[in-house]
Amino acid sequence: MGITGRDGSGGGDGGGRLLGSGRTSDVYELDAGWVLRRNREGWGDALAEGAVMEHVREHGYPVPRVRLADSTRTELVMERLSGPTMLAAFGTGAMGAREGGVVLARLLRQLHAVPGWDNGGCVVHLDLHPDNVMLTPEGPRVIDWSNAEEGRPGLDWGMSAIILAQVAVGGEPIAGLAREVLTGLLADPSQLTEDGLTEARRRRAAQPVMSRREIELLGQAEDLIRSL
């Protein structure tokens, strides 16, 4: 569950207060209602990501609003959200880990009802995990759409499962929590497929932010998913 920049903002030239940092971006305060997420070292395409967010929001999916006219390829202006991430809520006891997995499953099913653009597929997030869900007073909001594309549900389920399972077998303090979330995610009938899981493992291994240790854990992670 790699940390990614969340509600933050920061003003393009001078920037406001730094609100958060992740592996690939920093988030700065613009004002009470808006933040700016700035990608580092040319990472990603913020305009394309914002367009995906607008597309799914138009279909009723819970994402922050964005201001594409004020954004660039490296900077995305988006709605400032209040509330903790799902991961932070686990730490305070505001949400149980198993419940969090059930919420992730619901968010995946809801997303896969949103049509894609070209090939008859649906929108897939490909990085949906507890640190990319903000628990606002209005309900969960999904952030970090930099990996999103048009695809098939099985791959999206596979990516969420492999991310959680990697943490669950990694021996870190939150390993047990991650296993509980994974159990909740897979508790109900899901659209996880053999092909989806295989492709998810391949894509996860190819991500440039993965450490050698994280890549080595993928085999154990896949075994855990199959056992559940």
Side-chain angles (χ1 to χ4, degrees), residues 104-122:
L104 288 178
R106 185 178 74 239
L107 289 169
L108 283 171
R109 285 191 287 267
Q110 184 178 352
L111 177 60
H112 300 153
V114 177
W117 305 272
D118 300 316
N119 301 317
C122 63

Side-chain angles (χ1 to χ4, degrees), residues 56 73 98 101 122 160 162 186 220 228:
V56 298
R73 190 177 183 278
R98 189 75 62 95
C122 63
S160 290
I162 203 77
L186 301 178
Q220 296 176 55
L228 294 175

Side-chain angles (χ1 to χ4, degrees), residues 160-178:
S160 290
I162 203 77
I163 291 168
L164 290 165
Q166 247 184 322
V167 179
V169 300
E172 300 297 326
I174 62 171
L177 184 151

Side-chain angles (χ1 to χ4, degrees), residues 48-66 68 107-117 121-126 128 140-151 156:
E49 181 179 353
V52 173
M53 294 170 69
E54 281 291 273
H55 175 75
V56 298
R57 192 175 71 85
E58 288 170 359
H59 285 80
Y61 197 76
V63 296
R65 291 174 294 151
V66 297
L68 290 179
L107 289 169
L108 283 171
R109 285 191 287 267
Q110 184 178 352
L111 177 60
H112 300 153
V114 177
W117 305 272
C122 63
V123 178
V124 291
H125 185 279
L126 302 182
L128 187 57
R141 294 290 183 271
V142 178
I143 61 173
D144 196 348
W145 291 79
S146 57
N147 293 333
E149 61 184 53
E150 182 177 12
D156 217 5

Side-chain angles (χ1 to χ4, degrees), residues 62-122:
V63 296
R65 291 174 294 151
V66 297
R67 294 192 337 222
L68 290 179
D70 296 324
S71 302
T72 69
R73 190 177 183 278
T74 58
E75 296 184 336
L76 181 63
V77 177
M78 58 185 175
E79 179 184 7
R80 184 172 187 171
L81 302 177
S82 62
T85 65
M86 182 183 287
L87 181 60
F90 295 155
T92 63
M95 174 177 280
R98 189 75 62 95
E99 178 190 358
V102 173
V103 172
L104 288 178
R106 185 178 74 239
L107 289 169
L108 283 171
R109 285 191 287 267
Q110 184 178 352
L111 177 60
H112 300 153
V114 177
W117 305 272
D118 300 316
N119 301 317
C122 63

